[in-house]
Amino acid sequence: MSIGIDSPGASAPPAARALQVLRSERIKFTTLRSLWLTPLLALLLTAGVTTAVGAALGSAEPHIVDDPGVGVFYGLNFGHVALACFGILLIGQEFNTRMIDVSLTAVPRRARMYGAKLALGALVGLVVGAAGTAGAFAGYAATVPGDWHGPAFTRAVVAGVLYPPLLVVFCLGLTTLFGNLTAAMGLIVPTVFLASPALGGLPGVRLVAQFLPDRAGQYALHYVDDPQVTYGHWTGLLIMALWAAASAYAGLRALRREK
């Protein structure tokens, strides 16, 4: 009888088995085109759109230049949709094809398999965040004057690096909770791309909408304080991190009930 890589009969120590599971997830990521193309698209959109907008507008648009953080991360408005799709696809494809059953057979300890997916997603998101932030700042600063030093700059850089992995973890956790790729795509992507920005602009619901994960996380990217936001920039990043943690935990609870 064959033994799964994380079965009780496996002789490897827990740390080695965890690395085996992570390695198997890495192989899935590198061999499935939809998985590695999606974060690549997110990177290109984040840095490319910002660079293009900066080159086209220069200092001609005061409403962008007045807050350098808004201009630098303009491309993230498009890139974060691809990041959301990546977090969904990372486990959603397995639910739709029922390959999740094979994964859970090979790795009976569901928390370990789920943790490997979260770790891989967060790592890929971190790479996209670091490269996208560097590319966006370099492309934007080349054509638009701005304040590229000081506490606000440091905060925006840190938030730009951490926003993508937090978004990926949040979307992966919700997809696991739904247990369905189509449902996750149909609910999460429109919310991130359309509903959340729209709600943030409505006076009647703005007070609540500012606590949505993407709204809170993106506020940390801004240089300028918004008097209509009731928390600080760093607190916005913390709020998003709490959303990601809650989503990851909810996904784990759902996966443990998966038959």
Side-chain angles (χ1 to χ4, degrees):
M1 180 178 65
S2 62
I3 296 177
I5 61 175
D6 191 42
S7 64
S11 58
R17 275 179 269 166
L19 287 175
Q20 281 184 306
V21 178
L22 183 58
R23 190 177 301 116
S24 70
E25 293 299 328
R26 178 188 59 81
I27 293 171
K28 293 177 189 176
F29 169 70
T30 55
T31 54
L32 292 174
R33 184 178 301 177
S34 60
L35 288 184
W36 61 263
L37 279 179
T38 311
L40 178 60
L41 177 62
L43 173 59
L44 294 176
L45 288 172
T46 300
V49 171
T50 291
T51 301
V53 169
L57 300 180
S59 58
E61 288 290 336
H63 73 280
I64 291 181
V65 178
D66 283 352
D67 190 337
V70 174
V72 167
F73 292 102
Y74 186 80
L76 190 61
N77 292 310
F78 306 90
H80 75 169
V81 179
L83 284 167
C85 290
F86 171 64
I88 294 168
L89 289 171
L90 201 55
I91 195 168
Q93 286 183 331
E94 295 196 34
F95 278 113
N96 267 32
T97 60
R98 295 314 303 173
M99 282 298 294
I100 191 70
D101 298 329
V102 178
S103 297
L104 294 177
T105 299
V107 188
R109 295 195 178 186
R110 301 181 177 204
R112 184 165 290 163
M113 187 274 287
Y114 182 61
K117 287 189 178 293
L118 288 173
L120 177 66
L123 180 59
V124 173
L126 194 64
V127 171
V128 171
T133 298
F137 267 104
Y140 195 74
T143 55
V144 180
D147 183 8
W148 311 121
H149 55 80
F153 168 76
T154 301
R155 183 189 64 243
V157 169
V158 172
V161 173
L162 294 181
Y163 179 89
L166 290 174
L167 181 62
V168 170
V169 168
F170 173 73
C171 293
L172 194 155
L174 279 188
T175 305
T176 310
L177 177 63
F178 295 150
N180 186 284
L181 173 65
T182 306
M185 281 288 187
L187 291 174
I188 298 174
V189 174
T191 299
V192 169
F193 189 54
L194 296 173
S196 181
L199 291 174
L202 296 176
V205 295
R206 184 181 294 144
L207 183 62
V208 176
Q210 67 181 311
F211 290 97
L212 292 174
D214 59 310
R215 295 292 92 196
Q218 289 186 38
Y219 185 58
L221 306 172
H222 294 188
Y223 278 42
V224 179
D225 293 336
D226 185 344
Q228 296 180 334
V229 177
T230 58
Y231 49 78
H233 297 280
W234 283 115
T235 304
L237 193 63
L238 175 60
I239 291 171
M240 186 178 186
L242 292 174
W243 273 103
S247 174
Y249 178 71
L252 177 60
R253 292 289 301 270
L255 188 64
R256 282 175 168 165
R257 294 194 300 267
E258 179 73 19
K259 295 181 180 180

